Amino acid sequence: MLSNPVIATTLIFTLIALGEWLSIVTRARIPMLLTAMVGFLILIWTGIFPKDILEKSQFPALGAILIGPAILHMGTMIPFSLLKSQFKAVLIALGGIIVSGILILTIIPLIFDYPTAVAGVGPISGGIIALIITSEKLKELGLTSLVIIPALIVAFQGLMGMPLAMNFMRKYAVKIQEAIDNGTFVPMVSEEETLKEEEKSKKQGPFKSSTTLKLFYIFVGASIGVALGSVTPVHYTLWCLAIGVIGLKIGIFEPKTLEKANSFTITMIGIIFVVIGSMAGVTPSQVLSNLPSIILILVIGTFGIAVGGFLMSKLVKWHPYKGMPVALTALFGFPGDYILCEEVSRSIARNEKEAKAIFDELLAPMLIGGFTTVTVASVVIAGILVQTL
């Protein structure tokens, strides 16, 4: 019965729905993604879910296809003028992973060895691509016993990063709320600019009003991004983001383009299936045997990212509650960064207008921070450090 794709998908979807419910009732204190990931692991380890339930579901295959369109959509959520002003988010994100890397490379070799430190640095700075680079080099050198370290760090880093980032984001959202009440709040995205974008999207001919054609244009843009990623050294996710931003600016795409194509929710669910699937191969024995080095790398790495984020926030004159979550995006990236912005704005705001103001204030730096660390910096760091082994 569990081999039926609809039933397998519904069972995993139940974990996501439970996580969403818990997030709502706890006012975003328990992130939805955290519940879904931990619940999935427990059910796999206890044998309640079969190990191949994700393969049976077939839904992660759809999620993998939708990553490009989703990232293009993120580009249409950030006005070009705002994107240009996000250099501070880039500096904060880089500051976090630099401090983290220095601490791991200094402390871990004293307790374990240098290859163990290198196995952890790239993945804790980012995600899947850094994991692949590190794992391939470790296998090439015959250090197969260490391959589990980057895999487990990528699997569990979000469990440390998301609650911590959520805590800081909630505190910053309260500060935004206080500024709104005092009349001192200055939004990053002006209402005039939002109205201008909305007005532009209202002036549509029949070719732009069709939701089928809207979705087609998104896939064409994402396909161009993927193609450019395969023929250039720049990762396809950055191309997709850039195509979204430029497409919004020149009027090819509407603001929040996937929502306008009535496809955003199913896209995010598909991608969450992919994220959950990254933990599918983790076994209890693997966790236990490598636990000391993994815990230490995670603790030192998270501490370093938070400290680096705090110091850079002070340097660029951002409130630490705003800057530290930006640095912590290295531990979870997309879609975690988007989901946290959504959950925090929904749980703290007292009305829809306030929720939008909080969401807009949080989203751009979080997305830019995530792309800086997960998509670019972690790949560079992993690529350089594996050459030192």
Side-chain angles (χ1 to χ4, degrees):
M1 189 172 70
L2 293 184
S3 63
N4 182 288
V6 176
I7 294 171
T9 299
T10 303
L11 288 171
I12 300 166
F13 203 166
T14 303
L15 291 173
I16 298 169
L18 174 65
E20 183 74 1
W21 177 79
L22 270 176
S23 171
I24 291 166
V25 297
T26 62
R27 293 176 65 81
R29 285 183 178 86
I30 303 172
M32 176 265 282
L33 212 52
L34 182 64
T35 304
M37 289 167 84
V38 173
F40 179 78
L41 267 186
I42 292 167
L43 291 168
I44 290 285
W45 289 353
T46 53
I48 296 169
F49 278 3
K51 288 182 179 176
D52 62 349
I53 191 168
L54 279 161
E55 291 167 35
K56 294 281 190 284
S57 161
Q58 298 174 25
F59 208 69
L62 175 64
I65 291 167
L66 293 172
I67 291 171
I71 289 168
L72 185 147
H73 166 83
M74 297 303 160
T76 67
M77 298 186 74
I78 311 168
F80 194 69
S81 58
L82 180 59
L83 200 60
K84 287 190 294 186
S85 69
Q86 288 303 313
F87 70 94
K88 290 182 179 180
V90 173
L91 293 175
I92 290 167
L94 290 174
I97 59 172
I98 288 168
V99 173
S100 169
I102 291 168
L103 289 178
I104 290 170
L105 291 171
T106 304
I107 298 167
I108 296 298
L110 301 175
I111 301 164
F112 299 100
D113 53 30
Y114 182 71
T116 300
V118 172
V121 171
I124 207 164
S125 305
I128 303 297
I129 307 302
L131 161 65
I132 292 166
I133 292 168
T134 307
S135 300
E136 283 178 355
K137 189 66 177 179
L138 291 171
K139 285 175 189 170
E140 186 189 311
L141 295 170
L143 298 167
T144 49
S145 61
L146 295 179
V147 170
I148 192 63
I149 292 174
L152 288 177
I153 283 169
V154 167
F156 288 108
Q157 63 187 165
L159 305 187
M160 292 194 71
M162 282 193 291
L164 197 56
M166 172 81 83
N167 181 48
F168 292 132
M169 288 166 76
R170 284 176 60 84
K171 288 180 177 177
Y172 186 64
V174 170
K175 290 202 164 291
I176 294 171
Q177 210 169 45
E178 288 169 0
I180 290 169
D181 291 344
N182 298 337
T184 57
F185 176 64
V186 181
M188 284 201 294
V189 183
S190 69
E191 207 166 317
E192 187 186 326
E193 194 166 4
T194 307
L195 288 170
K196 205 184 290 177
E197 295 290 352
E198 285 175 3
E199 198 60 42
K200 201 189 290 180
S201 68
K202 280 177 190 172
K203 297 170 185 174
Q204 295 178 337
F207 290 111
K208 277 199 171 183
S209 60
S210 163
T211 53
T212 303
L213 289 176
K214 284 176 186 178
L215 193 57
F216 172 69
Y217 302 146
I218 294 164
F219 268 81
V220 169
S223 298
I224 293 167
V226 171
L228 287 169
S230 65
V231 296
T232 67
V234 179
H235 197 254
Y236 82 91
T237 53
L238 286 179
W239 284 116
C240 288
L241 184 73
I243 288 166
V245 172
I246 295 163
L248 174 68
K249 179 71 177 172
I250 62 178
I252 297 171
F253 304 120
E254 298 173 76
K256 302 179 182 178
T257 189
L258 270 176
E259 289 178 26
K260 300 289 170 62
N262 297 334
S263 307
F264 182 65
T265 302
I266 194 74
T267 299
M268 289 304 291
I269 296 298
I271 292 170
I272 291 166
F273 267 67
V274 175
V275 174
I276 291 170
S278 69
M279 303 184 76
V282 176
T283 65
S285 60
Q286 287 174 332
V287 173
L288 289 171
S289 60
N290 288 283
L291 208 54
S293 59
I294 290 162
I295 288 174
L296 199 57
I297 290 168
L298 283 170
V299 169
I300 292 170
T302 304
F303 175 76
I305 289 168
V307 168
F310 177 83
L311 294 174
M312 286 305 295
S313 297
K314 289 289 189 184
L315 203 63
V316 301
K317 295 182 171 59
W318 269 17
H319 196 286
Y321 291 160
K322 180 181 180 180
M324 288 167 80
V326 171
L328 288 165
T329 54
L331 297 172
F332 46 91
F334 176 84
D337 45 13
Y338 180 89
I339 291 166
L340 290 188
C341 291
E342 202 174 43
E343 290 184 358
V344 168
S345 59
R346 180 185 63 204
S347 66
I348 297 294
R350 295 162 294 195
N351 54 58
E352 205 172 305
K353 188 179 178 183
E354 198 170 88
K356 186 184 181 307
I358 292 170
F359 180 79
D360 288 345
E361 187 73 14
L362 295 174
L363 182 67
M366 288 292 283
L367 284 181
I368 300 303
F371 278 106
T372 301
T373 54
V374 176
T375 313
V376 184
S378 67
V379 176
V380 174
I381 288 168
I384 292 170
L385 287 177
V386 293
Q387 301 304 322
T388 66
L389 288 172

